[in-house]
Amino acid sequence: AVRGAACVLHCIPSQHTPRFVRENAGIFPAGVPYVSTSKGVHRESHMLMSDAIADALGEHRSRIPLAFLSGPSFAKEMMAGHPMMVVVASNPLETAERVQAVVNSPKFRIYVTDDVIGVEVGGALKNPLAIGAGMASGLGYGQSTIAGLVTRGCREMAMLSIALGGRAETLAGLSGAGDLMLTCFSTLSRNNRFGSALERGKTVDEAISEIGEVVEGYPTAAEVA
């Protein structure tokens, strides 16, 4: 599947990412960007995906350039051809620019940055905040409440990014405010629906079963609490 690839897109749930990478690192082609779309904090290692993937690559790390894609993009809307914008982060920036050249299209606009931490923090923390937005909605609160949650949430993401070595301005962009607005205001968001289900009296297991997909914000919430 990866033979002759211009880049490899990694779309594995964050809690399963390190194991998958360890088991398959040997088949990733040398020099080809490995682009993670996974968002979250790995509970066992307490690492962002950028650190967890690098660690899981082990002896193969030096030959695999890593990049991290994030931003407001629902898969269903992408498949329907809706125009959208995302950001790819890598350090060095050249790797992100290579991914941009391969994946960029008129309906899928890619921007680049070298602030991997900022992009990763935005992608990880927007999910627990979307759960909170879903809970607020489930309690019957309106858009004013959720707007306040989003605004303060974006501030908290920026503060954490700075503490970890990222840049605050990254969180004002697509991977921060952009993705946060999408997940907090839309019921297409799994994390939003999960929070709403909890407030309707569902247990965690019942809510996850009802959604039928991975809810990345649930394990991440415990890591950032």
Side-chain angles (χ1 to χ4, degrees):
V2 298
R3 188 179 299 123
C7 71
V8 177
L9 297 178
H10 170 100
C11 307
I12 307 297
S14 59
Q15 301 309 312
H16 302 288
T17 281
R19 178 176 56 82
F20 175 86
V21 171
R22 281 194 298 271
E23 292 175 355
N24 295 282
I27 69 170
F28 302 152
V32 174
Y34 191 78
V35 187
S36 170
T37 67
S38 301
K39 299 173 181 177
V41 180
H42 186 237
R43 293 187 69 172
E44 292 181 18
S45 64
H46 312 296
M47 292 180 178
L48 291 167
M49 291 298 98
S50 50
D51 294 322
I53 291 175
D55 181 71
L57 283 171
E59 62 183 17
H60 301 283
R61 173 65 187 95
S62 61
R63 66 182 186 84
I64 308 295
L66 297 177
F68 303 88
L69 186 151
S70 192
S73 50
F74 284 143
K76 290 180 180 178
E77 293 180 345
M78 184 188 304
M79 296 302 295
H82 297 193
M84 54 188 59
M85 293 162 280
V86 298
V87 61
V88 170
S90 184
N91 195 349
L93 186 64
E94 177 189 6
T95 300
E97 291 172 338
R98 288 176 59 190
V99 176
Q100 181 187 47
V102 172
V103 183
N104 204 44
S105 74
K107 289 189 176 182
F108 194 70
R109 171 71 174 174
I110 293 180
Y111 293 84
V112 297
T113 180
D114 63 356
D115 185 9
V116 172
I117 291 175
V119 166
E120 284 277 270
V121 167
L125 266 64
K126 58 95 177 179
N127 287 327
L129 287 165
I131 293 175
M135 293 174 72
S137 179
L139 286 167
Y141 297 128
Q143 300 301 298
S144 299
T145 302
I146 298 174
L149 177 68
V150 168
T151 304
R152 293 307 304 170
C154 197
R155 171 63 175 163
E156 289 188 11
M157 292 196 304
M159 292 170 65
L160 181 58
S161 178
I162 293 170
L164 295 176
R167 300 194 294 270
E169 58 265 29
T170 302
L171 278 301
L174 292 166
S175 63
D179 215 358
L180 186 60
M181 285 190 290
L182 182 73
T183 55
C184 286
F185 284 103
S186 175
T187 54
L188 284 177
S189 165
R190 291 165 291 176
N191 293 281
N192 187 300
R193 299 200 311 273
F194 176 77
S196 181
L198 293 180
E199 284 308 320
R200 286 188 281 108
K202 300 285 187 180
T203 65
V204 167
D205 290 340
E206 288 171 343
I208 291 174
S209 178
E210 178 181 292
I211 292 166
E213 298 175 86
V214 174
V215 180
E216 294 280 28
Y218 173 59
T220 297
E223 290 298 306
V224 299

